[in-house]
mmCIF file of all heavy atoms in Angstrom:
data_model
loop_
_atom_site.group_PDB
_atom_site.id
_atom_site.type_symbol
_atom_site.label_atom_id
_atom_site.label_comp_id
_atom_site.label_asym_id
_atom_site.label_seq_id
_atom_site.Cartn_x
_atom_site.Cartn_y
_atom_site.Cartn_z
ATOM 1 N N SER A 1 2.299 -8.255 5.276
ATOM 2 C CA SER A 1 2.829 -6.932 5.623
ATOM 3 C C SER A 1 2.090 -5.826 4.874
ATOM 4 O O SER A 1 1.819 -4.752 5.437
ATOM 5 C CB SER A 1 4.325 -6.867 5.311
ATOM 6 O OG SER A 1 5.040 -7.744 6.161
ATOM 7 N N THR A 2 1.744 -6.086 3.611
ATOM 8 C CA THR A 2 1.014 -5.080 2.832
ATOM 9 C C THR A 2 -0.345 -4.807 3.471
ATOM 10 O O THR A 2 -0.765 -3.642 3.602
ATOM 11 C CB THR A 2 0.827 -5.552 1.379
ATOM 12 O OG1 THR A 2 2.110 -5.818 0.813
ATOM 13 C CG2 THR A 2 0.123 -4.497 0.542
ATOM 14 N N LEU A 3 -1.032 -5.862 3.883
ATOM 15 C CA LEU A 3 -2.341 -5.704 4.519
ATOM 16 C C LEU A 3 -2.217 -4.899 5.806
ATOM 17 O O LEU A 3 -3.033 -4.012 6.084
ATOM 18 C CB LEU A 3 -2.955 -7.079 4.802
ATOM 19 C CG LEU A 3 -4.408 -7.103 5.274
ATOM 20 C CD1 LEU A 3 -5.340 -6.558 4.200
ATOM 21 C CD2 LEU A 3 -4.832 -8.516 5.677
ATOM 22 N N MET A 4 -1.174 -5.178 6.592
ATOM 23 C CA MET A 4 -0.989 -4.458 7.859
ATOM 24 C C MET A 4 -0.581 -3.005 7.623
ATOM 25 O O MET A 4 -0.958 -2.113 8.388
ATOM 26 C CB MET A 4 0.059 -5.172 8.718
ATOM 27 C CG MET A 4 -0.415 -6.506 9.280
ATOM 28 S SD MET A 4 -1.913 -6.345 10.312
ATOM 29 C CE MET A 4 -3.220 -6.701 9.121
ATOM 30 N N LYS A 5 0.193 -2.738 6.573
ATOM 31 C CA LYS A 5 0.581 -1.357 6.282
ATOM 32 C C LYS A 5 -0.617 -0.532 5.817
ATOM 33 O O LYS A 5 -0.680 0.678 6.058
ATOM 34 C CB LYS A 5 1.703 -1.335 5.245
ATOM 35 C CG LYS A 5 3.045 -1.741 5.840
ATOM 36 C CD LYS A 5 4.158 -1.769 4.808
ATOM 37 C CE LYS A 5 5.477 -2.158 5.458
ATOM 38 N NZ LYS A 5 6.586 -2.254 4.479
ATOM 39 N N ILE A 6 -1.572 -1.198 5.190
ATOM 40 C CA ILE A 6 -2.824 -0.511 4.832
ATOM 41 C C ILE A 6 -3.614 -0.202 6.101
ATOM 42 O O ILE A 6 -4.142 0.901 6.268
ATOM 43 C CB ILE A 6 -3.648 -1.368 3.848
ATOM 44 C CG1 ILE A 6 -2.990 -1.336 2.459
ATOM 45 C CG2 ILE A 6 -5.096 -0.883 3.770
ATOM 46 C CD1 ILE A 6 -3.595 -2.294 1.459
ATOM 47 N N LEU A 7 -3.673 -1.150 7.020
ATOM 48 C CA LEU A 7 -4.367 -0.928 8.285
ATOM 49 C C LEU A 7 -3.708 0.198 9.087
ATOM 50 O O LEU A 7 -4.387 0.995 9.742
ATOM 51 C CB LEU A 7 -4.373 -2.222 9.113
ATOM 52 C CG LEU A 7 -5.066 -2.163 10.481
ATOM 53 C CD1 LEU A 7 -6.545 -1.850 10.328
ATOM 54 C CD2 LEU A 7 -4.873 -3.471 11.236
ATOM 55 N N ALA A 8 -2.377 0.280 8.999
ATOM 56 C CA ALA A 8 -1.633 1.281 9.778
ATOM 57 C C ALA A 8 -1.476 2.607 9.047
ATOM 58 O O ALA A 8 -0.835 3.524 9.558
ATOM 59 C CB ALA A 8 -0.261 0.727 10.144
ATOM 60 N N GLY A 9 -2.035 2.731 7.829
ATOM 61 C CA GLY A 9 -2.002 3.990 7.104
ATOM 62 C C GLY A 9 -0.724 4.265 6.336
ATOM 63 O O GLY A 9 -0.553 5.343 5.771
ATOM 64 N N ALA A 10 0.193 3.276 6.287
ATOM 65 C CA ALA A 10 1.446 3.467 5.546
ATOM 66 C C ALA A 10 1.216 3.308 4.039
ATOM 67 O O ALA A 10 1.933 3.909 3.241
ATOM 68 C CB ALA A 10 2.494 2.476 6.031
ATOM 69 N N TYR A 11 0.252 2.470 3.651
ATOM 70 C CA TYR A 11 -0.158 2.311 2.254
ATOM 71 C C TYR A 11 -1.637 2.667 2.148
ATOM 72 O O TYR A 11 -2.399 2.497 3.106
ATOM 73 C CB TYR A 11 0.014 0.862 1.773
ATOM 74 C CG TYR A 11 1.422 0.373 1.595
ATOM 75 C CD1 TYR A 11 1.687 -1.009 1.543
ATOM 76 C CD2 TYR A 11 2.506 1.244 1.473
ATOM 77 C CE1 TYR A 11 2.983 -1.497 1.375
ATOM 78 C CE2 TYR A 11 3.796 0.765 1.301
ATOM 79 C CZ TYR A 11 4.028 -0.607 1.264
ATOM 80 O OH TYR A 11 5.305 -1.074 1.101
ATOM 81 N N ILE A 12 -2.044 3.111 0.960
ATOM 82 C CA ILE A 12 -3.463 3.379 0.681
ATOM 83 C C ILE A 12 -3.999 2.243 -0.187
ATOM 84 O O ILE A 12 -3.408 1.913 -1.220
ATOM 85 C CB ILE A 12 -3.636 4.728 -0.054
ATOM 86 C CG1 ILE A 12 -2.987 5.868 0.751
ATOM 87 C CG2 ILE A 12 -5.115 5.004 -0.303
ATOM 88 C CD1 ILE A 12 -3.567 6.093 2.106
ATOM 89 N N LYS A 13 -5.088 1.630 0.227
ATOM 90 C CA LYS A 13 -5.677 0.533 -0.547
ATOM 91 C C LYS A 13 -6.203 1.041 -1.888
ATOM 92 O O LYS A 13 -6.613 2.198 -2.016
ATOM 93 C CB LYS A 13 -6.800 -0.136 0.246
ATOM 94 C CG LYS A 13 -7.937 0.807 0.616
ATOM 95 C CD LYS A 13 -8.977 0.103 1.481
ATOM 96 C CE LYS A 13 -10.002 1.079 2.039
ATOM 97 N NZ LYS A 13 -10.730 1.884 1.091
ATOM 98 N N ASP A 14 -6.226 0.153 -2.885
ATOM 99 C CA ASP A 14 -6.817 0.500 -4.176
ATOM 100 C C ASP A 14 -8.336 0.332 -4.137
ATOM 101 O O ASP A 14 -9.080 1.087 -4.771
ATOM 102 C CB ASP A 14 -6.226 -0.383 -5.283
ATOM 103 C CG ASP A 14 -4.750 -0.092 -5.517
ATOM 104 O OD1 ASP A 14 -4.311 1.028 -5.196
ATOM 105 O OD2 ASP A 14 -4.030 -0.980 -5.997
ATOM 106 N N SER A 15 -8.785 -0.702 -3.409
ATOM 107 C CA SER A 15 -10.227 -0.923 -3.256
ATOM 108 C C SER A 15 -10.478 -1.759 -2.015
ATOM 109 O O SER A 15 -9.559 -2.328 -1.433
ATOM 110 C CB SER A 15 -10.807 -1.627 -4.499
ATOM 111 O OG SER A 15 -10.193 -2.887 -4.690
ATOM 112 N N GLY A 16 -11.757 -1.837 -1.612
ATOM 113 C CA GLY A 16 -12.130 -2.578 -0.414
ATOM 114 C C GLY A 16 -12.613 -1.651 0.686
ATOM 115 O O GLY A 16 -12.566 -0.420 0.556
ATOM 116 N N THR A 17 -13.103 -2.243 1.781
ATOM 117 C CA THR A 17 -13.626 -1.450 2.901
ATOM 118 C C THR A 17 -12.970 -1.880 4.212
ATOM 119 O O THR A 17 -12.606 -3.043 4.394
ATOM 120 C CB THR A 17 -15.150 -1.601 3.041
ATOM 121 O OG1 THR A 17 -15.472 -2.992 3.246
ATOM 122 C CG2 THR A 17 -15.868 -1.098 1.808
ATOM 123 N N ILE A 18 -12.853 -0.896 5.110
ATOM 124 C CA ILE A 18 -12.319 -1.151 6.451
ATOM 125 C C ILE A 18 -13.348 -0.650 7.462
ATOM 126 O O ILE A 18 -13.742 0.521 7.444
ATOM 127 C CB ILE A 18 -10.973 -0.433 6.681
ATOM 128 C CG1 ILE A 18 -9.931 -0.879 5.651
ATOM 129 C CG2 ILE A 18 -10.464 -0.686 8.098
ATOM 130 C CD1 ILE A 18 -8.622 -0.109 5.728
ATOM 131 N N MET A 19 -13.774 -1.555 8.334
ATOM 132 C CA MET A 19 -14.674 -1.201 9.430
ATOM 133 C C MET A 19 -13.869 -1.271 10.724
ATOM 134 O O MET A 19 -13.232 -2.291 11.015
ATOM 135 C CB MET A 19 -15.861 -2.165 9.507
ATOM 136 C CG MET A 19 -16.709 -2.235 8.256
ATOM 137 S SD MET A 19 -17.630 -0.716 7.931
ATOM 138 C CE MET A 19 -18.802 -0.726 9.290
ATOM 139 N N PHE A 20 -13.876 -0.188 11.493
ATOM 140 C CA PHE A 20 -13.162 -0.160 12.772
ATOM 141 C C PHE A 20 -14.144 0.138 13.892
ATOM 142 O O PHE A 20 -14.783 1.187 13.906
ATOM 143 C CB PHE A 20 -12.045 0.883 12.746
ATOM 144 C CG PHE A 20 -11.206 0.888 14.000
ATOM 145 C CD1 PHE A 20 -10.166 -0.008 14.157
ATOM 146 C CD2 PHE A 20 -11.486 1.774 15.033
ATOM 147 C CE1 PHE A 20 -9.405 -0.019 15.326
ATOM 148 C CE2 PHE A 20 -10.735 1.771 16.204
ATOM 149 C CZ PHE A 20 -9.689 0.869 16.347
ATOM 150 N N ASP A 21 -14.292 -0.820 14.785
ATOM 151 C CA ASP A 21 -15.196 -0.682 15.933
ATOM 152 C C ASP A 21 -16.603 -0.285 15.493
ATOM 153 O O ASP A 21 -17.252 0.586 16.079
ATOM 154 C CB ASP A 21 -14.636 0.347 16.921
ATOM 155 C CG ASP A 21 -15.068 0.065 18.361
ATOM 156 O OD1 ASP A 21 -15.723 -0.973 18.584
ATOM 157 O OD2 ASP A 21 -14.748 0.865 19.248
ATOM 158 N N GLY A 22 -17.056 -0.939 14.400
ATOM 159 C CA GLY A 22 -18.426 -0.758 13.936
ATOM 160 C C GLY A 22 -18.646 0.363 12.945
ATOM 161 O O GLY A 22 -19.759 0.527 12.443
ATOM 162 N N GLU A 23 -17.609 1.155 12.654
ATOM 163 C CA GLU A 23 -17.775 2.274 11.725
ATOM 164 C C GLU A 23 -16.806 2.151 10.555
ATOM 165 O O GLU A 23 -15.657 1.740 10.731
ATOM 166 C CB GLU A 23 -17.526 3.610 12.436
ATOM 167 C CG GLU A 23 -18.543 3.925 13.521
ATOM 168 C CD GLU A 23 -18.301 5.293 14.149
ATOM 169 O OE1 GLU A 23 -17.414 6.019 13.640
ATOM 170 O OE2 GLU A 23 -18.983 5.620 15.124
ATOM 171 N N GLN A 24 -17.264 2.506 9.344
ATOM 172 C CA GLN A 24 -16.387 2.473 8.181
ATOM 173 C C GLN A 24 -15.398 3.631 8.261
ATOM 174 O O GLN A 24 -15.762 4.766 8.560
ATOM 175 C CB GLN A 24 -17.194 2.562 6.882
ATOM 176 C CG GLN A 24 -16.331 2.394 5.637
ATOM 177 C CD GLN A 24 -17.147 2.219 4.371
ATOM 178 O OE1 GLN A 24 -18.303 1.765 4.428
ATOM 179 N NE2 GLN A 24 -16.564 2.549 3.234
ATOM 180 N N VAL A 25 -14.118 3.318 7.979
ATOM 181 C CA VAL A 25 -13.073 4.346 8.071
ATOM 182 C C VAL A 25 -12.207 4.321 6.814
ATOM 183 O O VAL A 25 -12.081 3.303 6.140
ATOM 184 C CB VAL A 25 -12.172 4.130 9.313
ATOM 185 C CG1 VAL A 25 -12.952 4.363 10.592
ATOM 186 C CG2 VAL A 25 -11.542 2.739 9.310
ATOM 187 N N GLU A 26 -11.637 5.477 6.519
ATOM 188 C CA GLU A 26 -10.606 5.596 5.486
ATOM 189 C C GLU A 26 -9.325 6.029 6.196
ATOM 190 O O GLU A 26 -9.272 7.121 6.765
ATOM 191 C CB GLU A 26 -11.002 6.622 4.417
ATOM 192 C CG GLU A 26 -12.201 6.220 3.576
ATOM 193 C CD GLU A 26 -11.942 4.996 2.718
ATOM 194 O OE1 GLU A 26 -10.762 4.779 2.329
ATOM 195 O OE2 GLU A 26 -12.895 4.244 2.444
ATOM 196 N N ILE A 27 -8.337 5.163 6.192
ATOM 197 C CA ILE A 27 -7.099 5.435 6.932
ATOM 198 C C ILE A 27 -6.057 5.954 5.953
ATOM 199 O O ILE A 27 -5.470 5.196 5.171
ATOM 200 C CB ILE A 27 -6.603 4.175 7.660
ATOM 201 C CG1 ILE A 27 -7.713 3.626 8.574
ATOM 202 C CG2 ILE A 27 -5.345 4.480 8.475
ATOM 203 C CD1 ILE A 27 -7.391 2.295 9.231
ATOM 204 N N GLY A 28 -5.811 7.270 5.981
ATOM 205 C CA GLY A 28 -4.962 7.902 4.977
ATOM 206 C C GLY A 28 -3.531 8.135 5.399
ATOM 207 O O GLY A 28 -2.695 8.521 4.579
ATOM 208 N N SER A 29 -3.225 7.902 6.691
ATOM 209 C CA SER A 29 -1.867 8.158 7.158
ATOM 210 C C SER A 29 -1.640 7.413 8.474
ATOM 211 O O SER A 29 -2.602 7.067 9.175
ATOM 212 C CB SER A 29 -1.646 9.650 7.394
ATOM 213 O OG SER A 29 -2.425 10.080 8.496
ATOM 214 N N PRO A 30 -0.367 7.177 8.852
ATOM 215 C CA PRO A 30 -0.084 6.552 10.151
ATOM 216 C C PRO A 30 -0.642 7.369 11.317
ATOM 217 O O PRO A 30 -1.087 6.796 12.315
ATOM 218 C CB PRO A 30 1.447 6.499 10.184
ATOM 219 C CG PRO A 30 1.861 6.438 8.752
ATOM 220 C CD PRO A 30 0.866 7.300 8.037
ATOM 221 N N LYS A 31 -0.608 8.703 11.187
ATOM 222 C CA LYS A 31 -1.133 9.558 12.256
ATOM 223 C C LYS A 31 -2.628 9.338 12.443
ATOM 224 O O LYS A 31 -3.128 9.305 13.577
ATOM 225 C CB LYS A 31 -0.854 11.026 11.904
ATOM 226 C CG LYS A 31 -0.884 11.967 13.096
ATOM 227 C CD LYS A 31 0.329 11.756 13.972
ATOM 228 C CE LYS A 31 0.305 12.693 15.174
ATOM 229 N NZ LYS A 31 1.382 12.386 16.137
ATOM 230 N N GLN A 32 -3.333 9.160 11.340
ATOM 231 C CA GLN A 32 -4.780 8.917 11.414
ATOM 232 C C GLN A 32 -5.070 7.567 12.047
ATOM 233 O O GLN A 32 -5.991 7.424 12.859
ATOM 234 C CB GLN A 32 -5.379 8.992 10.012
ATOM 235 C CG GLN A 32 -6.901 8.979 10.000
ATOM 236 C CD GLN A 32 -7.458 9.097 8.594
ATOM 237 O OE1 GLN A 32 -6.724 9.343 7.639
ATOM 238 N NE2 GLN A 32 -8.755 8.912 8.466
ATOM 239 N N ALA A 33 -4.263 6.555 11.689
ATOM 240 C CA ALA A 33 -4.430 5.220 12.283
ATOM 241 C C ALA A 33 -4.203 5.280 13.787
ATOM 242 O O ALA A 33 -4.954 4.703 14.574
ATOM 243 C CB ALA A 33 -3.450 4.241 11.633
ATOM 244 N N GLU A 34 -3.153 6.002 14.176
ATOM 245 C CA GLU A 34 -2.826 6.158 15.597
ATOM 246 C C GLU A 34 -3.961 6.861 16.342
ATOM 247 O O GLU A 34 -4.318 6.479 17.466
ATOM 248 C CB GLU A 34 -1.528 6.963 15.709
ATOM 249 C CG GLU A 34 -0.999 7.143 17.103
ATOM 250 C CD GLU A 34 0.277 7.960 17.121
ATOM 251 O OE1 GLU A 34 1.317 7.465 16.652
ATOM 252 O OE2 GLU A 34 0.233 9.122 17.593
ATOM 253 N N LYS A 35 -4.559 7.858 15.692
ATOM 254 C CA LYS A 35 -5.611 8.645 16.330
ATOM 255 C C LYS A 35 -6.836 7.800 16.675
ATOM 256 O O LYS A 35 -7.475 8.015 17.713
ATOM 257 C CB LYS A 35 -6.009 9.798 15.400
ATOM 258 C CG LYS A 35 -6.943 10.814 16.033
ATOM 259 C CD LYS A 35 -7.189 11.990 15.099
ATOM 260 C CE LYS A 35 -8.124 13.012 15.742
ATOM 261 N NZ LYS A 35 -8.372 14.170 14.847
ATOM 262 N N ILE A 36 -7.163 6.825 15.800
ATOM 263 C CA ILE A 36 -8.352 6.008 16.079
ATOM 264 C C ILE A 36 -8.028 4.784 16.939
ATOM 265 O O ILE A 36 -8.934 4.051 17.342
ATOM 266 C CB ILE A 36 -9.065 5.563 14.780
ATOM 267 C CG1 ILE A 36 -8.168 4.647 13.931
ATOM 268 C CG2 ILE A 36 -9.549 6.763 13.997
ATOM 269 C CD1 ILE A 36 -8.877 4.070 12.716
ATOM 270 N N GLY A 37 -6.705 4.569 17.226
ATOM 271 C CA GLY A 37 -6.360 3.497 18.154
ATOM 272 C C GLY A 37 -5.682 2.291 17.539
ATOM 273 O O GLY A 37 -5.803 1.181 18.067
ATOM 274 N N ILE A 38 -4.977 2.491 16.432
ATOM 275 C CA ILE A 38 -4.249 1.388 15.782
ATOM 276 C C ILE A 38 -2.754 1.666 15.890
ATOM 277 O O ILE A 38 -2.283 2.740 15.509
ATOM 278 C CB ILE A 38 -4.631 1.243 14.294
ATOM 279 C CG1 ILE A 38 -6.118 0.913 14.157
ATOM 280 C CG2 ILE A 38 -3.791 0.154 13.618
ATOM 281 C CD1 ILE A 38 -6.634 1.005 12.734
ATOM 282 N N SER A 39 -2.016 0.717 16.419
ATOM 283 C CA SER A 39 -0.563 0.876 16.550
ATOM 284 C C SER A 39 0.127 -0.352 15.975
ATOM 285 O O SER A 39 -0.361 -1.477 16.125
ATOM 286 C CB SER A 39 -0.180 1.045 18.025
ATOM 287 O OG SER A 39 1.206 1.212 18.165
ATOM 288 N N ILE A 40 1.271 -0.149 15.310
ATOM 289 C CA ILE A 40 1.998 -1.265 14.708
ATOM 290 C C ILE A 40 3.438 -1.254 15.207
ATOM 291 O O ILE A 40 4.087 -0.209 15.251
ATOM 292 C CB ILE A 40 1.939 -1.226 13.166
ATOM 293 C CG1 ILE A 40 2.641 -2.438 12.548
ATOM 294 C CG2 ILE A 40 2.490 0.065 12.610
ATOM 295 C CD1 ILE A 40 2.302 -2.659 11.079
ATOM 296 N N ILE A 41 3.907 -2.420 15.632
ATOM 297 C CA ILE A 41 5.292 -2.592 16.065
ATOM 298 C C ILE A 41 5.998 -3.400 14.991
ATOM 299 O O ILE A 41 5.772 -4.607 14.841
ATOM 300 C CB ILE A 41 5.372 -3.323 17.426
ATOM 301 C CG1 ILE A 41 4.587 -2.553 18.489
ATOM 302 C CG2 ILE A 41 6.824 -3.518 17.846
ATOM 303 C CD1 ILE A 41 4.459 -3.281 19.811
ATOM 304 N N TYR A 42 6.846 -2.721 14.210
ATOM 305 C CA TYR A 42 7.526 -3.378 13.101
ATOM 306 C C TYR A 42 8.666 -4.252 13.605
ATOM 307 O O TYR A 42 9.157 -4.087 14.732
ATOM 308 C CB TYR A 42 8.066 -2.342 12.111
ATOM 309 C CG TYR A 42 6.997 -1.589 11.362
ATOM 310 C CD1 TYR A 42 6.668 -0.280 11.704
ATOM 311 C CD2 TYR A 42 6.297 -2.192 10.327
ATOM 312 C CE1 TYR A 42 5.683 0.414 11.021
ATOM 313 C CE2 TYR A 42 5.303 -1.502 9.631
ATOM 314 C CZ TYR A 42 5.003 -0.201 9.984
ATOM 315 O OH TYR A 42 4.021 0.475 9.312
ATOM 316 N N GLN A 43 9.095 -5.194 12.748
ATOM 317 C CA GLN A 43 10.198 -6.081 13.088
ATOM 318 C C GLN A 43 11.463 -5.267 13.378
ATOM 319 O O GLN A 43 12.208 -5.570 14.297
ATOM 320 C CB GLN A 43 10.449 -7.063 11.937
ATOM 321 C CG GLN A 43 11.414 -8.184 12.299
ATOM 322 C CD GLN A 43 11.498 -9.215 11.185
ATOM 323 O OE1 GLN A 43 10.751 -9.168 10.213
ATOM 324 N NE2 GLN A 43 12.408 -10.158 11.325
ATOM 325 N N GLU A 44 11.718 -4.214 12.566
ATOM 326 C CA GLU A 44 12.817 -3.300 12.846
ATOM 327 C C GLU A 44 12.258 -2.211 13.767
ATOM 328 O O GLU A 44 11.503 -1.352 13.336
ATOM 329 C CB GLU A 44 13.362 -2.669 11.557
ATOM 330 C CG GLU A 44 14.082 -3.657 10.641
ATOM 331 C CD GLU A 44 13.136 -4.457 9.764
ATOM 332 O OE1 GLU A 44 11.965 -4.050 9.620
ATOM 333 O OE2 GLU A 44 13.552 -5.499 9.247
ATOM 334 N N LEU A 45 12.617 -2.271 15.036
ATOM 335 C CA LEU A 45 12.012 -1.413 16.049
ATOM 336 C C LEU A 45 12.208 0.065 15.714
ATOM 337 O O LEU A 45 13.255 0.479 15.221
ATOM 338 C CB LEU A 45 12.601 -1.729 17.430
ATOM 339 C CG LEU A 45 12.388 -3.177 17.906
ATOM 340 C CD1 LEU A 45 13.021 -3.371 19.266
ATOM 341 C CD2 LEU A 45 10.910 -3.526 17.954
#
């Protein structure tokens, strides 16, 4: 869940890199994740 929340912009990673569709990205918020095409459906809808 922590890894997915980092992907979805809910948490900010301490270190590491994220490549999305061939480009390095910094995902700072859920809105930013949504903008580039990442959506998360949580267990609690």
